[in-house]
């Protein structure tokens, strides 16, 4: 059986981050133009196999055009309930970025600039990232740009740099150590390689198993390179010298064993490493024999002589030391973080400790000051980051930020001072200081945040006895302070801090340094997927499946709701409008003429006025009808004007004082009331021309495109209020043919002309605008005309002088980069007989801005064969090469722009035969067009996007942090679309779909920065299990909480109680069950378990019951573990709940209310780790047994069968009377259940020792396979085939496929996949949710399609440049010593195959020709397989 594994969602969150100057915009300081914000630096983040590059922009705050709306909105808000300034922004990513301890309405100075993230590129790599560092190599001195060093799980290091030509990362080199003797050891899969770089980029080190480092030295000067050349006697053009493996035990010191962490120290002449290790390992139970086993060694790397002298050796550090952070050069030394204390160690081996709880003195003999009696902090999972030379932050795992000051006595450190919490932020995975005042905290389980730190000196008056640091002020008490005593400033608004020791000598007047923290921006993320289920949601009028995932952790936990299509809400149906052939919503004002000219004040690109009229058109009845509609009352529309004939396009003209209306044979200028002012019949003398098929209007220009591929160009004269034909002689022959064209207005000044020396005036041709209207409007706007000729040449002409400024032929094959060919205007004279349309003809072209806070022009192209490509316009460096001087008509002006492809997509095209030109065929014709729009779904957000109509319509949207996304709209077909603010909402859209004309808006709070649109439901706690109860359409979820844990003996006497300051009970997991309405996300009811009981399994089962007519009813089955400490055996229980409807209060929402009713509680001797239903019976595991039980009288469970199985059952799945059992040690069992007499029969099992976290049935047609996943991320497919001699008569399951995902799967769900040739039994499609937040699907593939795609996969592996030089084939191979060849043949790698769609058409043809198939066929196969669900 064959399958395709492809990712639906990429990993979420940030595990590694580095800050560097990677892209050229960080050097010039602006991203291409002076007007745009300044680029401070790049932040590169990664999670699992996803690498994303952001720019950090510094820009003036957005001045909202909605002040009036805001004022009006606030008028309706009750006084005192409005949000505090800054509160909304800080709470955008979940509950409480900021400690809301004390709220003071202190006025906050408006920051002059704000820092924001801006997405640049992302890459899905064929490897798992384990570290990233910024390095500077010799070529850095030429271009001032840093290089990116990335390490991978399989002991590889890749050196990457930014290429401006490709506008992407390119690989400089890759260094592999996977064959090093250290990597061959058996425990290497458990080892995680870590990457560190020297602060001066002299070398980088990668940790390897068996206490070894791989050292990669870099050349810094030409002198080093010359020395190396003399030694090796050959020239080198690489930036590094040969890397080598440093064995710490043999080469440095035999006591350096079991490395915990290592860092490079700044300020040394040679690279110097501090290594934290534990030569004698111990644990809490052995502390009487071995304690303080951690050691710190600081040694120098002499790369030339390969000498490694030890500078400092410190032993006797606490056994629970977890990480190191280097101090600044002025201080020297390192900070060691342990679970219970923080220790500073200097070069002279002096140690200064700071205990944070009472345990520090109990687990270590190291001398430390006594811990504060009220202090009981846990530092596990904390991250340290220096904010200046003597202050560092400890960010604890609950997000609390504690500043710690280093106090100096002369030049030596005398003590560390812990200051009160200043803010709560995200749960940290990585913390980096970007520059002096920007702090980035990345999180794997929730949003990552960018914060600004500001230090302020505040005078303090303290009594004489308080001479120490003011560390005793408790944050919670500051609520009671008076205004003059409020030392903390506005602590709520910007998470303000009081940090810093007091300074100065006199006791009466001192100053103290306060650090303010304010939130600048955040990268949205939802974190790991613990469990998932499908529920029902409404998209418009239709019910659609919605994937509800339990995501996040701790206070960032909650639910994330994913939909395949962009969710919308229908506001009203407008059948009276019609509009099957087009709808245009326009803003037209009554003209107020001043000296014959309508003058309007310059407004921003988004502050368009509210629309006033709608023009719609239909093809029926012949010859079509056009309507002009206006709004009468609050909801109704009236249609005062009807015109026979079909409208091709309409737009407001002459600064929105008139309507320009283009029909199939005429161009009309209409007054705002619909009366005709001017009409130009499209005639050639007295002969009628071909019908107008499309047009583009951009005040004051009009371009029409006729069915015979000829064009017409018109220009409006504001003084007369009329339009006239424009002279097209500069563009060549009047009868030239064009297949597509559009206008573009550049408002940000990206389109810039470089003129040749001979004609300096050409550069200013566009500045001498000919019409008075253009002079009024041309603030910073320039207008351009884009045309495509039949032979596939795209040309850009400047307006109004019509100078050719850009020409390229690469668009005909949708190449990845479009640059100016510098060729003169092409010839495209009419052919005789007329040319037949070709497949690769460009059918639609549009240049329009996309974006959120900054608009970037994008080029949209759609070919007749159904290929859509979207290009981003980028500034191009000035080209030095000149066009061939021998060519006639050499160009005089060149546009300094190039286009870079960001998205490629293929659509299925149903061809209508040319002979079918009937009225019916015309009515059925589906027009695919790009319609630009600007929308404001919420007050603080304004988006410019494009809608693509047709069958499979989609939204094309670009966000600041997610880049460009193509999101399906969910309609079968959309014939016409327009953004419409006629009803005074800037977020409305009017579209004509298969449901008729509808006014709709986006669902609120939808995030568009991921591959699927999603909504977050923050619940401030994490959930471990979630299930959908279909009979009542409710969600049942198990929340995961922490409770204090005490240990008791058999007689119930407590064994230990806290017996000192700063010593407390440990915490253990506990669970509650919640019944949730998915409509409003309210918890209706719940059930609390004991504080030492956790839920392992939760499912909805159908059990036999006498209380219903059908004889079965849905129940909620729960399996739990009761944890009793390490001295007593663990127990468990099985619970059966029912969701019952109760009488609800009329004031409640939702109107129908339900409660959880406990039917059965059945205590067991072991943990119940998995439950499921089979034929009306309940299957549950208990320890090493499986039980099948019936529900008797809805009040007790009666056992009918049992079976002894493996060691620890992880999952149970049933289908008909077959049962799959997944075990933590004994892999997969296939069991059959027989009812008469009751018994369980083992059919087959996997005889190898494998860990199965999930098991599922996977079937298509008549084939059945068993899919299992393990904790390392290996997907295995087993078959049950008694006819195969290897199966020992069917006793053994045969593993025929192994495919490595490199990430742990927590939850799977099987859904039906129905194909065109509908069978009785649909195929199964397996969805898997992973701990890194990604979501994958396993889809069955037919034999013929599989063979094609497998050949293609081989070609792509060999013939493509993969990012970071990684090997896609090796990435998926599973190490298996029992077979001679890897078993990776039967599963296709969707991540690799997706790269085919991005290639240009000529490259696609070349690859498919080599495997003897067609490009269109392969793309058809691919697009039919990769739908999410």
């Amino acid at each position: 059986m064959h399958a395709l594994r492809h990712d639906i969602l990429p990993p979420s969150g940030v595990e590694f981050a580095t800050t560097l100057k990677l892209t050229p915009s960080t050097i010039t300081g602006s991203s291409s133009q002076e007007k745009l914000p300044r680029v401070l630096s790049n932040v590169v983040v990664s999670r699992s196999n996803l690498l994303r590059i952001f720019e950090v922009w510094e820009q003036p705050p957005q001045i909202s055009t909605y002040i009036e709306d805001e004022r009006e909105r606030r008028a309706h808000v009750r006084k005192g309930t409005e949000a505090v300034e800054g509160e909304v922004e800080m709470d955008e990513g979940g509950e409480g970025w900021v400690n809301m301890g004390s709220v003071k309405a202190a006025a906050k100075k408006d920051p002059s600039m704000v820092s924001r993230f801006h997405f640049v590129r992302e890459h899905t790599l064929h490897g798992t990232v384990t570290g990233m560092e910024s390095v500077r190599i010799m070529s850095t001195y030429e271009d001032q740009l840093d290089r990116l060093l990335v390490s991978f799980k399989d002991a590889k290091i890749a050196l990457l740099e930014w290429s401006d030509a490709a506008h992407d990362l390119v690989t400089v080199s890759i260094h592999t150590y996977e064959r090093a003797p250290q990597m061959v050891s058996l425990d290497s899969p458990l080892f995680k390689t870590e990457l560190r770089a020297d602060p001066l980029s002299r070398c980088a080190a990668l940790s390897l198993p068996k206490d070894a480092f791989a050292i990669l030295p870099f050349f810094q000067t030409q002198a080093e390179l010359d020395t190396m050349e003399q030694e090796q006697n050959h020239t080198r053009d690489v930036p590094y010298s040969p890397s080598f493996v440093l064995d710490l035990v043999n080469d440095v010191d035999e006591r350096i064993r079991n490395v915990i962490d290592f860092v490079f120290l700044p300020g040394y002449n040679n690279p110097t490493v501090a290594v934290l290790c534990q030569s004698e390992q111990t644990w809490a139970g052995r502390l009487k024999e071995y304690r303080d086993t951690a050691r710190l060694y600081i040694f120098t790397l002499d790369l030339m002589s390969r000498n490694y002298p030890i500078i400092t050796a410190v032993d006797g550090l606490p056994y629970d030391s977890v990480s190191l952070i280097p101090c600044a050069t002025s201080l020297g030394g390192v900070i060691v973080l342990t679970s219970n204390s923080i220790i500073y160690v200097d070069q002279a081996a002096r140690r200064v400790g700071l205990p944070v709880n009472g345990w520090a003195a109990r687990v270590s003999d190291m001398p430390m000051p006594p811990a504060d009696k009220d202090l009981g902090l846990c530092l596990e999972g904390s991250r340290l980051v220096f904010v200046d030379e003597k202050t560092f932050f400890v960010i604890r795992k609950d997000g609390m930020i504690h500043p710690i000051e280093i106090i100096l006595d002369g030049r030596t450190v005398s003590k560390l001072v812990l200051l009160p919490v200043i803010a709560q932020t995200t749960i940290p995975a990585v913390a980096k200081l970007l520059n002096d005042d920007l702090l980035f905290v990345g999180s794997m389980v929730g949003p990552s945040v960018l914060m600004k730190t500001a230090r302020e000196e505040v005078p303090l008056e303290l009594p004489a006895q308080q001479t120490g640091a003011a560390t005793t002020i408790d944050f919670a008490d500051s609520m009671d302070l008076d205004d003059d005593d409020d030392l903390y400033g506005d602590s709520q608004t910007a998470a303000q801090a009081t940090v810093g020791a007091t300074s100065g000598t006199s006791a009466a007047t001192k100053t103290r340094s306060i650090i303010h923290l304010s939130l600048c921006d955040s990268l949205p993320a939802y974190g790991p997927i613990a469990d998932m289920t499908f529920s029902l949601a409404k998209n418009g009028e239709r019910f659609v499946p919605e994937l509800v995932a339990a995501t996040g952790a701790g206070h960032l936990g909650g639910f994330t709701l994913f939909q395949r299509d962009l969710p919308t809400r229908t506001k009203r149906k407008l059948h009276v409008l019609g509009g099957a052939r087009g709808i245009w919503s326009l803003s037209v004002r009554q003209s107020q003429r001043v000296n014959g000219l309508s003058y309007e004040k310059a407004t921003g690109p988004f502050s368009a006025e509210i629309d006033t009229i709608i023009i719609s058109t239909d093809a029926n009845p012949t010859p079509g009808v056009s309507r002009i509609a206006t709004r009468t009352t609050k909801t109704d529309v009236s249609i005062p004007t009807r015109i026979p004939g079909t409208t091709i396009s309409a737009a407001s003209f002459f600064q929105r004082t008139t309507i320009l209306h283009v029909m199939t044979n005429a161009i009309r200028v209409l007054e705002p009331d619909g009366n005709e002012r001017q009409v130009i019949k499209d005639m050639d003398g007295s002969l009628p021309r071909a019908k107008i098929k499309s047009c583009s209007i951009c005040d004051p220009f009009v371009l029409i495109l006729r069915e015979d591929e000829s064009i017409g160009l018109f220009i409006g004269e504001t003084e007369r209020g009329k339009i006239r034909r424009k002279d097209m002689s500069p563009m060549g022959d009047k009868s030239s043919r064009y297949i597509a064209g559009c206008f573009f207005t550049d408002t940000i000044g990206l389109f810039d002309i470089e003129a040749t020396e001979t004609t300096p005036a050409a550069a200013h041709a566009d500045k001498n605008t000919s019409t008075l209207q253009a002079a009024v409007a041309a603030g910073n706007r320039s207008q351009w005309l884009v045309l495509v000729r039949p032979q596939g040449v795209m040309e850009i002409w400047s307006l109004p002088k019509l100078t050719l400024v850009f020409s390229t032929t690469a668009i005909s094959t949708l190449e990845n980069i479009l640059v100016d060919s510098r060729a003169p205007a092409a010839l495209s004279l009419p052919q005789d007989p007329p040319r037949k349309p070709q497949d690769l003809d460009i059918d639609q072209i549009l240049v329009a801005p996309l974006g959120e806070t900054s608009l970037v022009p994008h080029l949209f192209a759609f070919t007749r064969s159904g290929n859509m490509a979207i290009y981003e316009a980028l500034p191009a460096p000035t080209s030095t090469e000149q066009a061939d001087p021998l060519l006639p008509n050499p160009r005089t002006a060149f546009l300094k722009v190039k286009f870079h492809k960001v998205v490629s997509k293929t659509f299925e095209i149903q061809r209508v035969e040319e002979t079918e030109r009937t009225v019916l065929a015309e009515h059925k014709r589906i027009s695919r067009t790009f319609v630009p729009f600007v929308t404001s779904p919420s007050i603080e957000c304004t988006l410019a996007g494009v809608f693509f109509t047709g069958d499979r319509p989609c939204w094309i949207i670009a966000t600041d942090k997610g880049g460009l996304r193509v999101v399906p709209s969910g309609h079968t077909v959309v014939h016409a679309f327009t953004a419409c603010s006629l009803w005074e909402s800037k977020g409305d859209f009017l579209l004509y779909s298969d449901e008729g004309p509808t006014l709709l808006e986006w669902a609120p709070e939808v995030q568009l920065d991921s591959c699927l649109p999603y909504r977050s439901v923050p619940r401030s706690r994490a959930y471990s299990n979630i299930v959908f109860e279909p009979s009542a359409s409710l969600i049942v979820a198990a929340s995961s909480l922490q409770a204090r844990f005490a240990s008791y003996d058999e007689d119930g006497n407590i064994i230990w109680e806290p017996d000192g300051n700063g010593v407390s009970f440990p915490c253990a997991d506990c669970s509650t069950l919640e019944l949730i309405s998915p409509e409003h996300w309210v918890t209706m009811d719940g059930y609390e378990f004991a504080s030492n009981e956790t839920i392992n399994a939760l499912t909805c089962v159908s059990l036999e019951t006498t209380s219903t007519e059908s004889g079965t009813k849905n129940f909620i089955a729960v399996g739990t573990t009761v944890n009793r400490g390490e001295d007593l055996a663990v127990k468990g229980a099985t619970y059966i709940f029912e969701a019952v409807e109760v009488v609800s209060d009329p004031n409640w929402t939702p109107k129908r209310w339900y409660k959880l009713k406990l039917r059965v509680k059945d205590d067991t001797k072991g943990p119940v780790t998995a439950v499921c239903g089979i034929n009306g019976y309940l299957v549950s595991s208990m320890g090493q047994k499986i039980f099948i039980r019936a529900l008797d009288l809805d009040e007790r469970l009666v056992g009918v069968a049992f079976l002894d199985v493996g060691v620890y059952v992880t999952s149970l799945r049933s289908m008909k009377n077959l049962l799959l059992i997944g075990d933590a040690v004994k892999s997969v069992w296939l069991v059959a259940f027989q009812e008469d007499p009751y018994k369980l029969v083992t059919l087959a099992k996997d005889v190898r020792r494998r860990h199965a976290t999930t098991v599922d049935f996977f079937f298509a047609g008549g084939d059945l396979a068993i899919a299992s996943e393990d904790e390392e991320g290996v997907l295995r497919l087993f078959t049950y085939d008694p006819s195969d001699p290897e199966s020992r008569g069917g006793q053994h399951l045969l593993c025929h496929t192994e495919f490595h995902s490199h990430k742990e799967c927590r939850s799977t769900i099987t859904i039906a996949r129905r194909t065109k040739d509908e069978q009785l039994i649909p195929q199964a499609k397996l969805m898997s949710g992973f701990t890194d937040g990604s979501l994958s699907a396993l889809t069955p593939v037919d034999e013929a399609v599989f063979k094609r795609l497998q050949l293609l996969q081989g070609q792509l592996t060999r013939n493509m440049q993969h990012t970071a030089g990684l090997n896609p084939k090796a990435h998926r191979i599973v190490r298996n010593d029992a077979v001679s060849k890897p078993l990776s043949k039967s599963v296709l790698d969707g991540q690799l195959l997706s790269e085919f769609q991005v290639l240009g058409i000529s490259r696609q043809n070349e690859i498919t020709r080599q495997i003897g198939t067609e490009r269109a066929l392969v793309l058809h196969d691919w697009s039919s397989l990769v739908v999410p669900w």
Side-chain angles (χ1 to χ4, degrees), residues 1026-1094:
I1026 182 169
V1027 69
F1028 182 66
E1029 209 280 325
S1031 53
S1033 294
L1034 297 173
I1035 296 274
V1036 182
S1039 63
S1040 178
L1041 306 165
Q1042 293 278 302
R1044 295 279 178 204
F1045 180 81
S1047 207
Y1048 295 85
D1049 60 15
E1050 289 282 13
D1051 304 327
N1053 302 319
I1054 194 160
I1055 292 174
W1056 178 86
E1057 287 188 83
D1059 52 0
N1061 289 334
V1063 174
S1064 58
F1065 280 121
C1067 285
D1069 288 331
C1070 70
S1071 296
T1072 59
L1073 201 63
E1074 296 183 24
L1075 185 68
I1076 299 166
S1077 155
E1079 202 177 341
H1080 302 91
W1081 294 101
V1082 249
T1083 301
M1084 296 176 161
D1085 195 18
Y1087 184 86
E1088 281 204 25
F1089 296 90
S1091 61
N1092 61 338
E1093 190 170 11
T1094 55

Side-chain angles (χ1 to χ4, degrees), residues 534 545 564 1257-1260 1309-1315 1318-1327 1337-1340 1427-1429:
F534 274 101
R564 190 188 64 183
F1257 290 102
F1258 184 64
F1259 48 86
I1309 191 165
T1310 310
I1311 57 174
R1313 175 178 182 256
R1314 292 181 169 81
T1315 50
E1318 181 66 67
Q1319 304 111 341
L1320 198 59
I1321 305 172
Q1323 297 179 352
K1325 182 170 184 170
L1326 187 65
M1327 316 265 291
L1338 189 70
T1339 312
V1427 287
W1429 51 75

Side-chain angles (χ1 to χ4, degrees), residues 595-612:
N595 303 334
L597 171 70
S598 300
Y599 178 75
E600 76 176 299
K601 66 176 192 298
T603 53
F606 287 149
S607 55
E609 290 180 15
I610 298 293
D611 294 346
T612 52

Side-chain angles (χ1 to χ4, degrees), residues 1106-1260:
T1106 51
S1107 58
T1108 61
E1109 289 179 17
S1110 61
T1112 59
K1113 191 196 280 187
N1114 283 337
F1115 293 92
I1116 303 296
V1118 179
T1120 66
T1121 292
V1122 179
N1123 184 7
R1124 304 191 296 159
E1126 56 193 10
D1127 298 327
L1128 298 178
V1130 68
K1131 290 190 172 181
T1134 308
Y1135 296 81
I1136 303 290
F1137 292 93
E1138 184 186 354
V1140 291
E1141 190 166 0
V1142 293
V1143 178
S1144 69
D1145 189 305
N1147 301 326
W1148 291 349
T1149 54
K1151 292 293 176 221
R1152 299 183 69 174
W1153 202 261
Y1154 292 83
K1155 293 270 186 202
L1156 273 178
K1157 186 173 183 182
L1158 176 63
R1159 288 290 185 190
V1160 181
K1161 178 187 177 185
D1162 184 47
D1163 292 318
T1164 59
K1165 291 179 184 173
V1168 180
T1169 54
V1171 288
C1172 79
I1174 186 168
N1175 293 354
Y1177 298 91
L1178 177 73
V1179 189
S1180 63
S1181 73
M1182 191 223 50
Q1184 288 85 32
K1185 285 184 168 57
I1186 293 287
F1187 288 96
I1188 296 203
R1189 290 179 286 186
L1191 184 65
D1192 184 29
L1193 301 173
D1194 285 6
E1195 60 186 28
R1196 65 195 185 107
L1197 290 170
V1198 180
V1200 297
F1202 80 94
L1203 180 72
D1204 285 313
V1205 287
V1207 178
Y1208 181 98
V1209 175
T1210 56
S1211 55
L1212 291 170
R1213 294 283 189 276
S1214 64
M1215 184 173 71
K1216 297 185 176 175
N1217 69 329
L1218 294 176
L1219 184 66
L1220 267 185
I1221 303 166
D1223 192 87
V1225 179
K1226 300 280 188 175
S1227 194
V1228 184
W1229 293 37
L1230 178 63
V1231 174
F1233 173 54
Q1234 173 186 308
E1235 286 191 56
D1236 193 16
Y1238 290 115
K1239 70 174 178 180
L1240 282 164
V1241 182
T1242 305
L1243 298 178
K1245 55 186 168 183
D1246 177 22
V1247 288
R1248 300 204 171 277
R1249 273 188 69 137
R1250 294 187 176 113
H1251 179 107
T1253 51
T1254 63
V1255 289
D1256 287 276
F1257 290 102
F1258 184 64
F1259 48 86

